[in-house]
Amino acid sequence: MTFDISIWIICGAVLLLAGFVKGVIGLGLPTISVGLLGLIMTPLQAAALLVIPNLVTNIWQLAIGEPVMALVRRLWPTLAGIVLGTLFGALALPAGTSRWAVIALGIILAVYALIGLSAVHLQVSPVAERWAGPLVGVLTGLVTVGTGVFVVPAVPYLQALGLSRAMLVQALGLSFLTSTIALAPAIAATGDMSPEIAGASLIALAPALGGMFLGQALRNKIGPAVFRRAFFGGLLLLGCYLATKPLL
């Protein structure tokens, strides 16, 4: 596709918004961006445009906070499952995004957010974590290939581990970074990562980082209770958006 001035303005505004949401709650960049940019380009082109912003913003999200190796040691079975599930899905699942898969994903995300906003707290015990981690990883990889969204079931699982606010944001960044790296070869295989898209992806990094910087500044000023409401409220909005977008 050709990037004229109007396309650049739209892409910049979308990535600024998506980066801001990611900065506040730790997720939302690919979900919001692919959904909105899908109005002016194909989902695969939008995913290709987001490769560099996704990589850099997730590395940034992962680097801010405590040393990450403790999280890697704890979450490596989940991360390995994400890679395996993504690669298997890229080979086995039909090309393109099923609108019913996206609707189901949105409904699941919205229900989980409503549970999180209520008094119910999901928890994963250390014993269950041994088998649940790899399973969640594989399922997340399959959902990523089918929908282009990294959040389910990885986000509910990570939130149920009882991590602190800072560690949860880092864990989300680690999970999303793994999904981005695993998905990149599948995008390249489709031919959508053209030199023009690759160059545009590098330029798109600027508004994404700007929005994320603003979002993180806001997150650092709010308390744990407000962050929890913002986190699950953001998930609820994302879920409702995904569930209704294919029907519009």
Side-chain angles (χ1 to χ4, degrees):
M1 65 176 297
T2 301
F3 284 82
D4 56 26
I5 185 63
S6 61
I7 297 295
W8 280 118
I9 292 174
I10 294 172
C11 289
V14 168
L15 285 162
L16 185 67
L17 171 64
F20 177 78
V21 173
K22 182 176 178 64
V24 175
I25 66 173
L27 54 88
L29 180 64
T31 310
I32 295 173
S33 298
V34 171
L36 294 179
L37 292 178
L39 300 174
I40 60 173
M41 62 183 72
T42 68
L44 284 177
Q45 286 175 331
L49 182 65
L50 290 169
V51 166
I52 294 178
N54 272 332
L55 281 173
V56 175
T57 56
N58 284 319
I59 290 173
W60 180 7
Q61 180 173 324
L62 183 61
I64 295 178
E66 299 297 323
V68 73
M69 286 310 300
L71 272 177
V72 173
R73 286 192 293 269
R74 180 174 182 179
L75 299 178
W76 75 262
T78 306
L79 304 178
I82 289 174
V83 174
L84 292 175
T86 302
L87 296 178
F88 177 79
L91 295 173
L93 295 179
T97 301
S98 166
R99 75 171 192 163
W100 295 112
V102 174
I103 291 172
L105 177 67
I107 293 173
I108 293 171
L109 200 60
V111 170
Y112 169 67
L114 290 173
I115 293 173
L117 289 170
S118 69
V120 178
H121 300 287
L122 301 180
Q123 290 186 333
V124 175
S125 68
V127 174
E129 190 175 340
R130 297 173 185 173
W131 60 264
L135 177 60
V136 165
V138 171
L139 292 176
T140 299
L142 293 174
V143 171
T144 296
V145 174
T147 66
V149 177
F150 308 155
V151 293
V152 172
V155 171
Y157 172 75
L158 293 174
Q159 202 276 334
L161 294 180
L163 303 173
S164 67
R165 177 174 64 170
M167 290 188 68
L168 174 60
V169 172
Q170 281 187 296
L172 291 172
L174 183 60
S175 174
F176 298 156
L177 177 63
T178 304
S179 292
T180 301
I181 295 173
L183 188 61
I187 295 175
T190 66
D192 284 285
M193 183 54 82
S194 64
E196 185 177 16
I197 290 286
S201 181
L202 182 60
I203 296 173
L205 178 61
L209 286 178
M212 188 172 177
F213 177 80
L214 294 174
Q216 285 183 335
L218 176 61
R219 188 181 78 218
N220 291 334
K221 295 181 179 180
I222 62 179
V226 177
F227 173 79
R228 179 179 176 82
R229 288 195 295 270
F231 179 82
F232 285 111
L235 284 183
L236 179 60
L237 291 176
L238 289 176
C240 292
Y241 173 71
L242 288 173
T244 58
K245 179 179 178 292
L247 301 177
L248 299 178

